[in-house]
Amino acid sequence: MNMKLKSLMIGAAMTSVAALPLTSVAGEDYPPKTLSFVAPSGAGGGWDLTIRTVAKTLKDTGLVEANMPITNRPGGGGAVNLAYMQTQKGSGKLISVYSPPILLTNLTGASKYSYQDTTPLARLITDYGAFVVSKDSKYKSINEVMDALRKDPKSVKIGGTSAAGSMDHIQFLLIAKAADVPNLNQIDYISFQDGGAVAQVLGGHVDLISTGLGDVAQLVESGNLRALAQTASKRVGEGKVAEIPTVTEQGIDATFENWRGLFGPKDMPENAVTYWNATLKEMVETPEWAEARKRNGWDAAYQNGEDFTKFLAQTNEQYKEILAEIFKR
């Protein structure tokens, strides 16, 4: 092929691409017929609930016609899936949900990867921490738990769905620290990343679950679990969820926000990033999404990809300071 003809063909291709809609590049339609939506945890946890709610809302509103099967890829408080995402660099098909552990697993040394090894697409909601016990538990308030821990840090077994040193663990330690519980590193925390934490507390194998409020809202509503406290600065949700007292109401000066957002692999194609920024902005404004937020006790916290990335950088520094304070002993 002579250079003049090659130059003409390249120029024509560039003109053609520029004329295509944002959902198509080089003749490839976006989104593809099938996307891969991933919860980096077992079924039933907060990540699982969030990504399934996103997929259902996108489908119900007609915003996305592609197939959106959900894959659960648990392990390491999200670190296993984060490592897998490194094998998908440049892909536009994989969408994963994350929350504080995408920062915490890196800061605690559990993973060498962090948010900088992904493409942040949007922050969607803020959930809050909840501390729940079985309906027959002897503990009636979060202060009773803290009193027991002050006397003996081994007296209460805490369960959660995130890894040790990650979100469910950290949010409980933050509250315990604010309640003047000493020897935080001696408190027993057991991780149930396969989604079995609820069964463990119902079976009496752990005394309390530290988790996301949205994760256990339906179980609290049904009466199977009793919530001792939640970590918002105000009461949230509806029904029995709205009756859950805040930690601050009970004299412990602390709050914790469990933000959640969506991420693509690192170097995600620009057309895919543009598509998701536009589509997710439209999704969070739908009545269907508003109803899902209300049902799960989630607060609106939308940020586009650019603002979300700035938020992650700032929050990463805050968590670094928190971890240094908690584990300085």
Side-chain angles (χ1 to χ4, degrees):
M1 183 183 294
N2 65 52
M3 293 303 295
K4 184 175 181 181
L5 178 58
K6 183 176 181 181
S7 176
L8 286 170
M9 290 179 67
I10 291 173
M14 290 178 67
T15 302
S16 176
V17 168
L20 291 171
L22 291 173
T23 54
S24 183
V25 166
E28 296 181 6
D29 290 335
Y30 193 91
K33 291 182 179 179
T34 301
L35 295 158
S36 177
F37 275 33
V38 179
S41 62
W47 285 336
D48 185 65
L49 175 65
T50 305
I51 198 75
R52 289 181 189 278
T53 304
V54 169
K56 186 177 188 306
T57 304
L58 291 172
K59 183 65 74 174
D60 289 351
T61 56
L63 288 171
V64 177
E65 295 182 358
N67 297 317
M68 293 171 279
I70 310 297
T71 299
N72 291 93
R73 190 174 291 118
V80 168
N81 180 63
L82 195 53
Y84 172 77
M85 289 178 73
Q86 307 315 303
T87 71
Q88 303 298 304
K89 287 182 181 178
S91 171
K93 294 183 179 181
L94 190 152
I95 307 293
S96 186
V97 61
Y98 272 103
S99 55
I102 198 171
L103 309 180
L104 293 168
T105 53
N106 176 258
L107 293 172
T108 59
S111 172
K112 64 180 180 179
Y113 303 114
S114 185
Y115 77 96
Q116 294 168 318
D117 300 293
T118 70
T119 301
L121 297 174
R123 175 182 170 184
L124 296 178
I125 53 101
T126 292
D127 193 6
Y128 300 98
F131 307 115
V132 297
V133 296
S134 69
K135 60 183 179 181
D136 301 320
S137 173
K138 65 180 180 180
Y139 297 111
K140 308 300 181 186
S141 73
I142 195 65
N143 279 317
E144 289 183 8
V145 174
M146 297 306 167
D147 286 341
L149 289 171
R150 278 191 288 267
K151 294 173 184 175
D152 178 4
K154 297 292 188 183
S155 63
V156 185
K157 284 185 169 55
I158 312 300
T161 58
S162 71
S166 197
M167 187 181 62
D168 291 345
H169 189 196
I170 293 297
Q171 71 181 15
F172 184 82
L173 293 183
L174 283 171
I175 304 307
K177 182 178 185 299
D180 296 322
V181 173
N183 304 314
L184 298 177
N185 57 356
Q186 294 182 28
I187 295 174
D188 285 334
Y189 174 83
I190 305 170
S191 173
F192 301 101
Q193 295 184 61
D194 60 355
V198 170
Q200 294 296 320
V201 76
L202 290 175
H205 304 294
V206 295
D207 299 300
L208 177 147
I209 298 175
S210 173
T211 186
L213 180 57
D215 305 3
V216 291
Q218 292 183 358
L219 290 166
V220 170
E221 201 67 43
S222 69
N224 289 316
L225 293 177
R226 186 170 72 249
L228 303 182
Q230 50 96 346
T231 65
S233 59
K234 61 186 185 304
R235 297 207 180 189
V236 297
E238 54 185 356
K240 287 187 179 179
V241 171
E243 298 172 9
I244 302 172
T246 66
V247 168
T248 54
E249 281 179 61
Q250 299 178 72
I252 302 173
D253 187 17
T255 59
F256 184 85
E257 290 190 5
N258 174 14
W259 48 266
R260 292 194 190 125
L262 299 184
F263 297 77
K266 192 171 185 178
D267 302 327
M268 195 178 204
E270 190 58 39
N271 68 315
V273 174
T274 300
Y275 174 87
W276 285 114
N277 267 275
T279 302
L280 293 171
K281 183 178 187 299
E282 192 171 351
M283 183 197 77
V284 300
E285 295 170 353
T286 64
E288 289 86 350
W289 183 252
E291 176 56 33
R293 285 197 300 100
K294 183 179 180 182
R295 182 172 63 250
N296 293 305
W298 296 339
D299 274 353
Y302 173 77
Q303 289 178 317
N304 64 22
E306 182 179 356
D307 290 339
F308 188 29
T309 302
K310 293 176 183 176
F311 166 83
L312 290 166
Q314 295 168 351
T315 306
N316 198 57
E317 290 305 308
Q318 293 171 355
Y319 288 173
K320 191 183 296 184
E321 294 174 7
I322 289 170
L323 289 168
E325 177 67 18
I326 288 176
F327 295 114
K328 69 180 181 180
R329 299 173 186 277

